[in-house]
């Protein structure tokens, strides 16, 4: 596997991005969020930790879910801005539908503690 896309640059998404990058198993980690500036800032912070933590994983930011289209794995975390730390069912399902509509649908992992109903809906509806 060479590319992992993390949809949602909130606290959970940033922590996952850093953990994955620091293990140096993927060529690239893409941090995707509508709040592109927040995603870009977190990506920069992680990238600057690379020389200290000895990893070479590239970290990039995007505001468009389409950036996950050619990823090997997509992880659904939570938005950087807003009242909730995780995507709700409707917002999460919309992201999953956009991923499924891509040319090649990646494996999707729902990382939030409350994503059980989202997984069930995704299986039924997508």
């Amino acid at each position: 596997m060479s590319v992992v896309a993390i949809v949602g640059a909130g606290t959970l998404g940033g922590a996952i991005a850093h953990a994955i990058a620091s293990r140096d198993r993927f060529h690239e980690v893409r941090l995707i969020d509508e709040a592109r500036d927040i995603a870009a800032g977190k990506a920069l912070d992680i990238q600057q930790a690379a020389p200290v933590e000895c990893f070479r994983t590239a970290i990039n930011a995007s505001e468009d879910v389409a950036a996950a289209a050619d990823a090997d794995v997509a992880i659904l975390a939570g938005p950087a801005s807003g009242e909730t730390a995780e995507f709700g069912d409707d917002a999460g399902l919309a992201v999953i539908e956009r991923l499924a509509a891509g040319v090649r649908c990646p494996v999707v992992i729902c990382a939030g503690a409350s994503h059980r109903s989202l997984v069930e809906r995704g299986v039924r509806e997508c």
Side-chain angles (χ1 to χ4, degrees):
M1 292 186 203
S2 62
V3 178
V4 63
I6 300 167
V7 182
T11 304
L12 179 60
I16 292 170
H18 190 185
I20 289 173
S22 67
R23 285 170 180 70
D24 221 10
R25 307 263 183 203
F26 287 89
H27 173 67
E28 179 184 4
V29 173
R30 296 179 188 155
L31 198 51
I32 303 167
D33 200 290
E34 288 179 353
R36 188 183 190 293
D37 291 342
I38 295 172
K42 289 187 180 191
L44 180 61
D45 287 347
I46 296 166
Q47 194 67 52
Q48 288 178 336
V52 175
E53 296 180 19
C54 300
F55 65 86
R56 295 180 311 274
T57 306
I59 310 292
N60 294 303
S62 178
E63 62 189 13
D64 190 3
V65 175
D70 64 340
D72 298 295
V73 177
I75 299 173
L76 189 62
S81 59
E83 296 177 14
T84 60
E86 300 172 0
F87 284 108
D89 284 357
D90 293 334
L93 190 61
V95 172
I96 292 172
E97 287 173 345
R98 288 202 56 204
L99 291 170
V103 175
R104 187 178 125 239
C105 183
V107 172
V108 178
I109 299 170
C110 295
S114 65
H115 282 166
R116 179 180 181 195
S117 61
L118 175 60
V119 171
E120 291 171 352
R121 281 186 69 189
V123 169
R124 274 195 319 265
E125 299 177 28
C126 292

